[in-house]
């Protein structure tokens, strides 16, 4: 009875906390979108005027079409790049294919704002390095490429997002049983017919899932629409919400109406994604433990796939990293030349390190990254124990509630939390604590998936043996479950700490002077035209991310060995 009561207490406490994190912002967003007066102003009434103002504006429909077009374009191009690299590395005999795994994950380390800035410096019609080189080589009068266009935005976003597609599709190619393909080839089917009639149907759930999740990531993106779309006068929901709040006076009601619309679109995508993944068992095949995927001998074509892979590597990694490094060491932005090489200096790094807000931004970003990753993994480890190891009624509700924030774009979560903490008597708005709560809320879905996958592998007998010998639940969880959970805990911690340190879309609506983070500092420097300083800051951010990931991996391995 004591154990049952303690489990019930933990379940109730977890549900209430997750409900506060995920449910209250959603309710307050809906409340703010139907309020007739700004936050804090008395005498407000309930109205649909904010939705009327949004939906009956002719610009709204261009906004909707732009957002959908951008989401579809991004997920399509991302899918093509990531799937090609996954297929090459998992299913072909292309030389150096192991190198592609590392190559495909490097863009994940580079924060979205830095990747976007790198592509502006490469493809801007006026200062773009690629445009200047191509114009000089071909004798053109106008720039051949223009980053300030819809396709420029799609390209910049796709290069940043394709590592996720690579990871998901690599797993799908690796786990797919190729015996059906081999049977078709033995029966006389051509390679193309086998691919079209066997491989594609088996891969359909994974393909649709990847496309949908990247569509959601595309329509909720902020960095590319803000840095490229706004100057190009291409409005998306995310930038429209940001501008509605940052105009004078701020229109929180209109921002709420736009945010609800974006939330409906992303929620629809998540529901479709869930429906597709639930039907994946229809495409399952049976394999033994000795199963290994068939490697396709491409013959002479393997050098073509090698060349295409290195071309992607050059465009996605070498060029952006080079332009960031180059720009961080020169006094003013320009095309690489002997004259500028002679002027290379550490002055940009000295400026960043001596910048008034630099120390504050570094400390805030580090604390938020480490704190949110640690708290999310601890919270989701407890939730995973409830949903996987117990039979308490309500555990399925808890699992679904934890996954709700995946449908809330960062900018929408920011608007929601503005309403929450400017309405409720909790004085944390404008402090680092509201950013910490926002990060915990946003990253819960990623933590629960990592924790649940590892929790399933832990035998329940170990926990029962501890409880039988008189151990409390807390002792059992701390000394047995958590150490065994450490590989998944560490993997989830590294992922969350990386995306937390580079987070911008939520932070930009919630920060204040004293709670500035590195991504906000980079955004402000870019808006001020201080390009070389931004690049220096970006290099330092990437080095910090690498150091944190390396340290966490080493600590996680030591803890696992010690236990």
């Amino acid at each position: 009875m004591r154990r049952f009561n303690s489990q019930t207490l933990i379940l109730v406490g977890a549900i209430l906390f997750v409900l506060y994190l995920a449910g209250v912002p959603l309710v307050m967003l809906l409340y703010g979108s139907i309020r007739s007066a700004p936050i804090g102003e008395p005498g407000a009434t309930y109205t649909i005027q904010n939705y009327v103002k949004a939906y009956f504006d002719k610009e709204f429909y261009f906004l909707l079409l732009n957002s959908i077009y951008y989401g579809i374009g991004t997920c399509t191009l991302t899918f093509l790049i990531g799937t090609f690299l996954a297929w090459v590395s998992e299913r072909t005999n292309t030389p150096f294919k192991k190198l592609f795994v590392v190559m495909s994950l490097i863009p994940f380390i580079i924060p979205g704002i830095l990747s976007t800035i790198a592509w502006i410096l490469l493809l801007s019609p006026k200062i773009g390095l690629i445009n200047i080189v191509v114009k000089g080589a071909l004798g053109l009068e106008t720039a051949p490429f223009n980053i300030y266009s819809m396709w420029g935005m799609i390209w910049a976003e796709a290069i940043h997002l394709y590592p996720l597609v690579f990871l998901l599709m690599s797993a799908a190619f690796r786990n797919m049983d190729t015996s059906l393909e081999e049977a078709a080839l033995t029966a006389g089917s051509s390679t193309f017919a086998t691919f079209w009639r066997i491989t594609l149907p088996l891969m359909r759930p994974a393909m649709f899932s990847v496309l949908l999740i990247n569509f959601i990531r595309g329509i909720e993106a902020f960095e590319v629409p803000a840095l490229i779309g706004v100057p190009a006068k291409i409005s998306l929901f995310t930038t429209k919400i940001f501008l509605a709040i940052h105009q004078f006076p701020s229109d929180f009601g209109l921002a709420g109406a736009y945010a609800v619309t974006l939330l409906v679109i992303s929620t629809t995508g998540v529901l479709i994604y869930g429906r597709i993944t639930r039907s994946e068992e229809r495409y399952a095949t049976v394999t033994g433990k000795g199963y290994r995927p068939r490697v396709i001998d491409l013959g002479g074509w393997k050098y073509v796939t090698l060349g295409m892979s290195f071309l992607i590597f050059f465009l996605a990694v070498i060029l952006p990293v080079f332009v960031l490094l180059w720009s961080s060491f020169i006094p003013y932005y320009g095309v690489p030349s002997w004259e500028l090489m002679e002027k290379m200096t550490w002055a940009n790094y000295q400026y960043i390190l001596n910048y008034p807000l630099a120390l504050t931004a570094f400390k805030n970003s580090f604390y938020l990254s480490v704190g949110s990753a640690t708290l999310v993994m601890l919270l989701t480890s407890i939730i995973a124990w409830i949903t996987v190891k117990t039979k308490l009624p309500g555990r399925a509700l808890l699992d679904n509630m934890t996954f709700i924030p995946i449908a809330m774009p960062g900018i929408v979560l920011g608007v929601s939390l503005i309403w929450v903490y400017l309405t409720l008597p909790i004085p944390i708005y404008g402090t680092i604590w509201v950013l910490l709560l926002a990060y915990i809320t946003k990253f819960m879905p990623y933590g629960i998936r990592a924790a649940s996958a590892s929790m399933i592998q832990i035998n329940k007998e170990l926990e029962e043996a501890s409880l039988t010998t008189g151990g409390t639940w807390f002792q059992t969880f701390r000394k047995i479950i958590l150490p065994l959970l450490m590989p998944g805990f560490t993997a989830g911690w590294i992922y969350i700490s990386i995306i937390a340190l580079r987070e911008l879309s939520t932070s930009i609506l919630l920060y204040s002077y004293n709670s500035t983070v590195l991504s906000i500092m980079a955004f402000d420097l870019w808006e001020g035209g201080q390009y070389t300083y931004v690049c220096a800051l970006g290099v330092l951010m990437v080095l910090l991310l690498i150091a944190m990931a390396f340290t966490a991996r080493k600590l996680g391995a030591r803890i696992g060995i010690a236990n």
Side-chain angles (χ1 to χ4, degrees):
M1 181 62 68
R2 183 175 68 253
R3 181 185 171 192
F4 174 78
N5 290 337
S6 64
Q7 288 186 358
T8 304
L9 184 62
I10 295 169
L11 174 64
V12 172
I15 288 178
L16 290 176
F17 187 61
V18 172
L19 183 62
Y20 171 74
L21 290 176
V24 172
L26 182 60
V27 172
M28 293 303 295
L29 174 65
L30 297 173
Y31 165 74
S33 69
I34 59 173
R35 202 170 185 269
S36 63
I39 299 174
E41 185 174 310
T45 59
Y46 298 109
T47 178
I48 61 170
Q49 192 59 38
N50 293 319
Y51 290 94
V52 172
K53 183 179 179 180
Y55 295 162
F56 283 87
D57 183 356
K58 62 180 181 180
E59 186 182 355
F60 172 83
Y61 300 98
F62 290 104
L63 190 68
L64 180 62
L65 289 175
N66 282 343
S67 296
I68 294 176
Y69 183 63
Y70 179 70
I72 292 175
T74 297
C75 73
T76 302
L77 183 57
T78 304
F79 176 80
L80 292 175
I81 296 173
T83 302
F84 172 76
L85 291 174
W87 176 73
V88 167
S89 63
E90 295 294 337
R91 297 296 304 277
T92 73
N93 64 337
T94 302
F96 308 109
K97 63 181 183 179
K98 296 300 180 183
L99 178 63
F100 302 150
V101 177
V102 178
M103 170 194 77
S104 300
L105 297 179
I106 291 177
F108 175 69
I109 298 293
I110 303 175
I113 187 171
L114 299 180
S115 176
T116 306
I117 288 171
W119 280 107
I120 293 175
L121 296 177
L122 287 168
L123 295 180
S124 170
K126 294 182 179 180
I127 64 171
L129 178 60
I130 293 177
N131 279 323
I132 293 174
V133 172
V134 173
K135 283 172 62 178
L138 301 180
L140 301 176
E141 295 183 0
T142 59
F145 307 107
N146 184 10
I147 192 68
Y148 295 108
S149 62
M150 178 60 78
W151 276 107
M153 294 169 60
I154 290 172
W155 170 260
E157 191 68 49
I159 290 299
H160 176 60
L161 290 180
Y162 84 80
L164 177 62
V165 177
F166 173 81
L167 289 174
L168 296 176
M169 293 305 294
S170 291
F173 279 120
R174 192 181 309 120
N175 296 328
M176 188 184 72
D177 187 353
T178 57
S179 59
L180 296 177
E181 292 177 321
E182 293 169 353
L185 292 171
T186 303
S189 175
S190 65
T191 301
F192 178 78
T194 301
F195 178 80
W196 184 259
R197 301 181 65 180
I198 305 295
T199 307
L200 281 184
L202 289 175
M203 296 289 292
R204 193 179 302 159
M207 290 167 55
F208 285 159
S209 297
V210 168
L211 285 169
L212 275 170
I213 200 168
N214 276 280
F215 173 78
I216 296 169
R217 290 289 168 266
I219 63 170
E220 73 173 23
F222 177 75
E223 291 90 344
V224 171
L227 298 183
I228 300 177
V230 171
K233 298 182 179 179
I234 301 175
S235 296
L236 302 183
F237 276 113
T238 50
T239 52
K240 200 68 175 177
I241 293 168
F242 172 75
L243 294 175
I245 291 177
H246 280 260
Q247 69 182 13
F248 183 80
S250 299
D251 195 339
F252 288 99
L254 181 61
Y258 281 132
V260 170
T261 305
L262 182 57
L263 180 63
V264 169
I265 296 173
S266 60
T267 302
T268 302
V270 170
L271 292 175
I272 297 174
Y273 167 78
R275 185 179 182 86
I276 289 175
T277 53
R278 281 195 298 270
S279 62
E280 284 187 356
E281 63 273 8
R282 293 190 302 155
Y283 301 88
T285 54
V286 178
T287 60
K289 290 184 178 180
Y291 161 75
R292 297 186 67 179
R294 181 176 64 93
V295 175
I296 301 173
D297 186 358
L298 297 177
W301 287 97
K302 66 183 178 182
Y303 299 107
V304 176
T305 57
L306 176 65
M308 293 176 64
S309 299
F310 274 112
L311 177 62
I312 295 173
F313 177 61
F314 178 76
L315 293 175
V317 178
I318 294 180
L319 276 180
V321 171
F322 169 76
V323 77
L324 288 175
L325 282 172
W326 165 255
S327 302
S328 71
F329 286 107
I330 55 179
Y332 54 87
Y333 180 75
V335 178
S337 63
W338 286 113
E339 179 184 354
L340 273 180
M341 287 186 68
E342 293 175 352
K343 297 180 180 180
M344 292 179 70
T345 174
W346 292 94
N348 295 325
Y349 291 94
Q350 293 173 351
Y351 177 88
I352 291 299
L353 295 176
N354 294 323
Y355 193 74
L357 276 179
L359 183 59
T360 299
F362 270 99
K363 288 197 301 184
N364 287 340
S365 293
F366 179 77
Y367 293 154
L368 287 169
S369 177
V370 173
S372 61
T374 303
L375 292 175
V376 165
M377 291 312 302
L378 287 174
L379 173 64
T380 54
S381 295
I382 295 173
I383 295 173
W385 173 79
I386 294 172
T387 57
V388 174
K389 297 298 184 183
T390 74
K391 298 185 180 300
L392 295 174
R395 64 187 186 279
L397 172 64
L398 177 60
D399 186 60
N400 291 331
M401 286 171 54
T402 309
F403 201 63
I404 286 175
I406 197 73
M408 296 184 70
I411 199 82
V412 173
L413 180 60
V415 175
S416 304
L417 293 179
I418 289 175
W419 280 103
V420 171
Y421 294 109
L422 288 182
T423 303
L424 301 180
I426 305 175
I428 63 171
Y429 181 76
T431 69
I432 195 174
W433 300 108
V434 72
L435 289 175
L436 180 62
L437 286 176
Y439 289 9
I440 293 173
T441 304
K442 184 174 183 179
F443 304 137
M444 272 197 308
Y446 306 107
I448 192 63
R449 291 300 168 250
S452 296
S454 297
M455 188 68 72
I456 292 173
Q457 298 176 337
I458 300 176
N459 196 315
K460 191 175 177 64
E461 294 177 356
L462 298 172
E463 177 187 352
E464 293 175 343
S466 173
L467 294 172
T468 301
T469 56
T472 65
W473 177 87
F474 179 77
Q475 291 173 327
T476 303
F477 186 83
R478 182 172 60 88
K479 293 184 177 181
I480 295 179
I481 296 177
L482 204 55
L484 293 173
L485 201 64
M486 194 51 61
F489 189 101
T490 304
W493 191 97
I494 292 173
Y495 179 77
I496 293 171
S497 64
I498 290 174
I499 59 178
L501 192 136
R502 68 189 196 187
E503 166 60 33
L504 176 64
S505 58
T506 301
S507 308
I508 202 164
L509 296 182
L510 299 173
Y511 83 101
S512 64
Y513 181 84
N514 292 324
S515 61
T516 299
V517 292
L518 289 174
S519 56
I520 298 296
M521 182 177 166
F523 185 82
D524 289 342
L525 287 172
W526 178 260
E527 290 290 293
Q530 298 170 305
Y531 303 155
T532 56
Y533 298 148
V534 175
C535 294
L537 175 61
V539 172
L540 294 176
M541 289 177 66
V542 172
L543 292 176
L544 178 60
L545 283 169
I546 294 174
M548 289 174 56
F550 179 79
T551 303
R553 193 68 179 265
K554 288 293 184 182
L555 288 176
R558 287 183 181 180
I559 294 173
I561 293 173
N563 290 278

